[in-house]
Each structure stands twice: as C-alpha cells, then as structure tokens.
Amino acid sequence: MNAMGVRRTAEQVLALAPDEASRRAGSKLGTAGPWSGAGCGEGIVWGRCEGSGRTPYRTVVDTTGPAYACTCPSRKSPCKHALGLLLLWATDETAVPGGAEPPDWVARWLSARRAGAAGAARKAEGSVAAGPADPEAARRRAERRAARVTAGAEELERRLADLVRGGLATAGQQGYGLWEETAARMVDAQAPGLAGRVRELGAIPGSGPGWPVRLLEECALTHLLDRAWLAADRLPAPLATTVRTRVGLPSAPDGPAVRDRWLVLAQYDTGDGRLTTRRIWLYGTGSGRTALLLSFGAAGRAPGLALPVGAVVDGELTPHAGSGQLRAEPGEPLVPVAGPAAPPPGGPVGAALDAYGRALREDPWLDSWPVTLAQVVPARAEYGWQLADSDGREALPLTGADRSRPGLWRLLALSGGAPVTVFGECGHRGFTPLAAWSPDHPSETVPL
C-alpha cells in the first residue's frame, strides 16, 4: 500500500480525539452498522454516517494532514464521525475498501483543500521573496515592545521586593486579586510569559502545606528571569534567546533543518480557558533527535495539528533558536510511512536526572525535560506511585496529576510487575509518563 494510505491502529486513531467525550462517542461509531458508501484512496478516507436526521452525515479525512470535514454541526476537530470512520478504516478493511474511486463530493473537497494549500504555499514563497515590507518599521516596533517588556519587568521586581520585605505570610492574606492585577499589567506590557509566572505565584498560597517554600522558590526564579531580561544584551546568544522566549517574545525557527522518519511519542493538550496548547513529542529514528511540535487553538477549538501516537512520519523539521532547541516546526506536511519503530534508547533513573540537570544549566526556568527510562517498574510508595530501576537502586515519583490518570493503570497493566521502557517528562515535581513499551512488543507504542 502507498505510504500515504498506511492504516493506523485503533489506539493511534483515538489519540487524535480532542477530548474524552469525543473518544467515547467516536468509539461507538467505529463499527460498520451506521456507515455506508465508505472507501479509501491515496491519502483519503470517506463515508456516510447515519445520524439523528434523515440525511446521513458526509465525512471525509485527508490522512496526509490530517484534515477533516463533516456535514455534522460539531465544532470539534476531529468530530466523532471522523474518529468513527478512522476507527472503522483501522479495524475492518472490508468495510472501508481500498482503491475505490472517491465520489464527487469527496473529490470536490479534496481538490479545494489542495488548491488552498498550494495557494498558501505560493503566498508564503512570495512573502519570503519580497522580504519585510519595511525593515526599519519592524525594528522600531521591536524596540517599542522591548521597552514595554522592560517596564513590566521593573514593575514586577518592585512587586517581588515588596512581598519579600513584608514577609511571605502576607501573600496568604492578600488573596489572588492583587496577583491577577499584576498579571494584567504584564499582559499590557506585552510580556505574556511574565504574566503566566505571576498567575502561578498567585495560586501557590492556596496550594496546601509547605506553600511558603514553594512561593520563595518561584519568586527566586521569577526574579532571575527579570534580571536576565534586564541584562539580556550581556548574555550569550543562546541564553538571551531563551530569556526572550521565557518572557513571552516569539521565537523563530533557526535551522539547519533535520529530515528524518519521526516516531510520534506523545500528544496531549493543556488549556487556560483562553487558549488550548497541543504538545507533540517526536523522536528521529535516524538522527536520534527529540523534537517538540506546538500548535494552538482558541478557546473551545482544538489545535489544527494532530498526529497519532505510535505512528512513523517522514518529513523535515527546523528547530527554534534557544538553549534547548527542542521546539521545531515542520517545513512541509509530515507524511505517514509504513513500518514499526523501536522506542528511543533509554537509561536508568540516575541518567534521566542527570539529563534534566544538564538542561537546567542552559535554561533555569525549565519545568521538565524529555527522557526515556529503560528497565523500570511501576511501584507503590508511601507518598504515591513511582518508577523504580529494576535493581531497586533509584526511583522517580510520578507527578500528582498522573497518580489518578487512566494512563497510570494502563502502565500498570502493561508492566504486570515486569520492567518496561517509559518515555515522559522529568522535572522538579517528578516524572510524567507519556508512552510505554513492553519487552514482548518493543515496537508497539502504548500512549499513557
């Protein structure tokens, strides 16, 4: 089968769901019963699904994007019908036969989509060729924004000094309103990164026992970021770029580009009520490089980029500037390819902690770092769950949020008390498992 038509597994399809409700609803539609006229061609899957109305919903998926279209009224992407269609395609080849000629409505959608993509590419090429319309105006805008960020950083320094001078105990008496007011001023100063850190500071006094210690630590890191911004012109270039990114200035991809076959390790969303951020972790099977793709969606809408966990995709990624250089941008659509892929090479708990420590030297504000643990066993400890080396020498606690996640129970079932390989994020709060592999099936990625 053509690489663009590689069938995904059911788990890879469900990993595309924007939320748990869509996952459950899509699973119910993953059988042949409600579908008619289903088929698939090169990079495209389509079908009609019976709904509550008299007219079946028309659903089509461009698997090279992926991109979805459905006549249902849902605003989610993918909707439950697209998920159900992909599940049917993944599990029942007879219900979604290959090599079929797409009906007219599918051909029209596909033609319009690809024409739009070609037009966008031509527009982008024209923009690059033409260069900035007014470089001097762009420079002045950047200087004005930098001046506003500097004013915001100086105001935040005064706020932190007042807090320390008055004693941390006063933070528990002032409530969240004063912090939110300070955060709003950081937004006005066009420093969203500083605004986010201020909101985190405001939430700490209500976070349970030991909050003064945590507040002092976070205040110190925020103070360090303020001072680093005010002295950015004297920092090494990679660290200065990291500081600009941390205060909220955008960073740009800064080659060289890396072409590889990338194993999709994990995908998950976080949100703050205003914006949904999707993180996708990739591992280059040839380069050995780990990359992070970020995409964003306005409140209530899923981000546009979605890749099934466990799939292997071919394409070119360009890393962003900065100390870590983990974030990257695809230079072209990532194309699914056939063939299994082994997990990233892992190590013991001590090696993971060393990797996180080295990353902190480059970026002191780093919350976590991607690592792969090999030969670890999930075990219950006095404070909760942990991942321990099979020889029992060292262990990493799981982060609080993951102790109640369904992924924890999936990891326990996969292990069954035996050592497994686990990919996740290692940070000062512990380890967040995102994917795992068992010794019996080393090429089968299990999302957590």
Side-chain angles (χ1 to χ4, degrees):
M1 181 179 291
N2 187 286
M4 288 186 178
V6 174
R7 290 181 187 259
R8 295 167 177 166
T9 66
E11 282 195 337
Q12 290 172 348
V13 171
L14 291 175
L16 299 171
D19 51 43
E20 185 60 33
S22 298
R23 190 174 292 111
R24 290 195 299 269
S27 297
K28 295 177 181 178
L29 295 174
T31 61
W35 292 95
S36 62
C40 63
E42 185 177 331
I44 194 80
V45 186
W46 64 85
R48 293 188 295 271
C49 185
E50 293 293 335
S52 55
R54 293 194 302 178
T55 303
Y57 296 123
R58 292 178 172 182
T59 308
V60 56
V61 179
D62 181 350
T63 60
T64 65
Y68 319 92
C70 185
T71 56
C72 75
S74 174
R75 297 179 62 187
K76 295 181 179 179
S77 180
C79 67
K80 64 181 182 181
H81 304 99
L83 288 170
L85 177 61
L86 287 176
L87 282 172
L88 185 65
W89 176 59
T91 58
D92 190 346
E93 293 191 22
T94 61
V96 188
E101 188 69 24
D104 289 344
W105 59 273
V106 173
R108 287 194 298 270
W109 178 82
L110 187 61
S111 176
R113 167 172 162 72
R114 293 181 176 171
R122 287 193 298 270
K123 183 178 180 180
E125 290 174 0
S127 299
V128 171
D134 189 344
E136 181 60 24
R139 184 187 63 79
R140 289 195 298 269
R141 285 194 298 271
E143 289 180 348
R144 287 195 296 269
R145 180 170 186 180
R148 285 192 288 268
V149 174
T150 296
E154 291 172 342
E155 179 181 350
L156 183 53
E157 280 292 277
R158 292 191 292 271
R159 173 77 174 93
L160 294 174
D162 290 343
L163 175 64
V164 174
R165 188 180 302 111
L168 296 182
T170 61
Q173 303 166 3
Q174 294 170 343
Y176 188 75
L178 186 58
W179 290 106
E180 183 58 38
E181 181 182 335
T182 304
R185 288 201 288 272
M186 296 303 104
V187 172
D188 293 340
Q190 292 186 288
L194 292 179
R197 299 198 74 89
V198 169
R199 291 191 176 99
E200 290 181 8
L201 291 173
I204 290 176
S207 63
W211 67 262
V213 174
R214 294 192 293 275
L215 181 60
L216 182 60
E217 292 172 347
E218 292 302 320
C219 283
L221 285 172
T222 303
H223 168 69
L224 180 64
L225 182 57
D226 283 340
R227 303 311 303 175
W229 168 261
L230 296 174
D233 57 339
R234 301 194 297 274
L235 298 177
L239 181 57
T241 301
T242 297
V243 169
R244 287 193 290 270
T245 303
R246 289 297 181 185
V247 300
L249 272 65
S251 66
D254 183 28
V258 179
R259 186 171 196 92
D260 207 338
R261 290 193 169 194
W262 304 89
L263 171 63
V264 184
L265 297 172
Q267 173 180 294
Y268 67 94
D269 294 351
T270 57
D272 60 3
R274 296 177 292 273
L275 186 72
T276 299
T277 301
R278 174 165 294 166
R279 290 171 170 83
I280 302 177
W281 285 109
L282 304 176
Y283 170 70
T285 58
S287 64
R289 187 184 189 114
T290 302
L292 174 64
L293 306 185
L294 294 181
S295 60
F296 305 93
R301 298 189 67 88
L305 182 62
L307 295 174
V309 175
V312 180
V313 294
D314 180 82
E316 189 174 86
L317 299 182
T318 303
H320 279 238
S323 299
Q325 290 196 324
L326 283 177
R327 186 182 174 189
E329 295 289 339
E332 56 192 16
L334 298 171
V335 179
V337 294
V349 167
L353 293 173
D354 289 343
Y356 178 50
R358 289 192 297 270
L360 281 175
R361 288 193 311 222
E362 304 294 331
D363 183 354
W365 307 278
L366 191 66
D367 285 329
S368 60
W369 187 255
V371 298
T372 301
L373 301 175
Q375 293 291 300
V376 291
V377 181
R380 184 77 177 177
E382 182 180 352
Y383 50 79
W385 287 95
Q386 63 182 12
L387 287 174
D389 290 332
S390 56
D391 59 10
R393 293 186 60 184
E394 294 181 286
L396 266 174
L398 299 188
T399 52
D402 285 284
R403 296 174 195 164
S404 58
R405 280 181 52 192
L408 171 60
W409 310 116
R410 195 176 299 131
L411 175 60
L412 295 175
L414 181 71
S415 167
V420 291
T421 298
V422 184
F423 168 81
E425 297 171 349
C426 177
H428 62 280
R429 296 183 180 90
F431 182 81
T432 302
L434 298 174
W437 300 261
S438 72
D440 298 332
H441 303 283
S443 62
E444 183 177 329
T445 304
V446 177
L448 301 176

